[in-house]
Amino acid sequence: MEVSIYELLAAARESAKSNYIKGDSILCEKRFHPDTHYMVEMELLENNNRLGEKKNYIRKFLTEPEYFPILQKQEKHLIKIKRQAIVQIQKGNLRYIPPPDRLDRRRERDIL
């Protein structure tokens, strides 16, 4: 299994019992489940009873159907996706990709 610097830092924070990130642990079982396709770290911009309180930083491992509502929440400015990755099915490796707002800015620059 390949490990990125982000994962090493996350594991160090978790072992130090830091409450910096709520939600799923970086090495939780959901990460290695065959249906899991995405990992998203997000900041809550509004109070949301399902996810947590405003200003919380949360990590979630998501399936395809769970991922699209998260993108819709970002579009409505309820959350801000800080980091996201595609979970490779066989090994559970994370392939980090730019957050959606950065992808939009790149597309605008290429078009103009």
Side-chain angles (χ1 to χ4, degrees):
M1 179 172 85
E2 297 174 18
V3 180
S4 72
I5 189 69
Y6 297 122
E7 294 170 81
L8 290 173
L9 290 170
R13 280 190 212 105
E14 290 171 7
S15 68
K17 305 289 187 227
S18 171
N19 289 331
Y20 175 66
I21 297 180
K22 307 216 183 307
D24 297 332
S25 167
I26 195 70
L27 296 174
C28 72
E29 289 181 24
K30 285 173 70 176
R31 173 178 176 171
F32 301 99
H33 193 275
D35 292 339
T36 301
H37 294 285
Y38 296 96
M39 185 278 302
V40 176
E41 291 180 3
M42 62 195 128
E43 180 182 359
L44 300 181
L45 302 177
E46 300 287 331
N47 284 329
N48 183 334
N49 292 334
R50 289 190 65 216
L51 293 175
E53 297 178 9
K54 187 175 181 178
K55 298 291 181 187
N56 279 355
Y57 197 87
I58 297 174
R59 178 187 304 118
K60 290 284 189 186
F61 287 93
L62 306 166
T63 62
E64 284 282 342
E66 295 170 332
Y67 179 67
F68 293 109
I70 294 295
L71 292 178
Q72 291 173 344
K73 287 184 181 193
Q74 165 127 338
E75 288 176 7
K76 295 177 183 175
H77 302 287
L78 300 174
I79 64 169
K80 170 84 170 152
I81 295 176
K82 297 291 191 171
R83 185 175 294 129
Q84 66 179 353
I86 295 173
V87 181
Q88 294 177 338
I89 296 172
Q90 295 294 334
K91 301 176 185 175
N93 292 344
L94 300 178
R95 193 179 83 216
Y96 287 89
I97 56 177
D101 62 331
R102 290 189 192 152
L103 287 174
D104 293 340
R105 280 184 267 160
R106 286 182 183 176
R107 286 187 191 117
E108 288 174 8
R109 276 186 286 175
D110 291 340
I111 292 172
L112 302 175

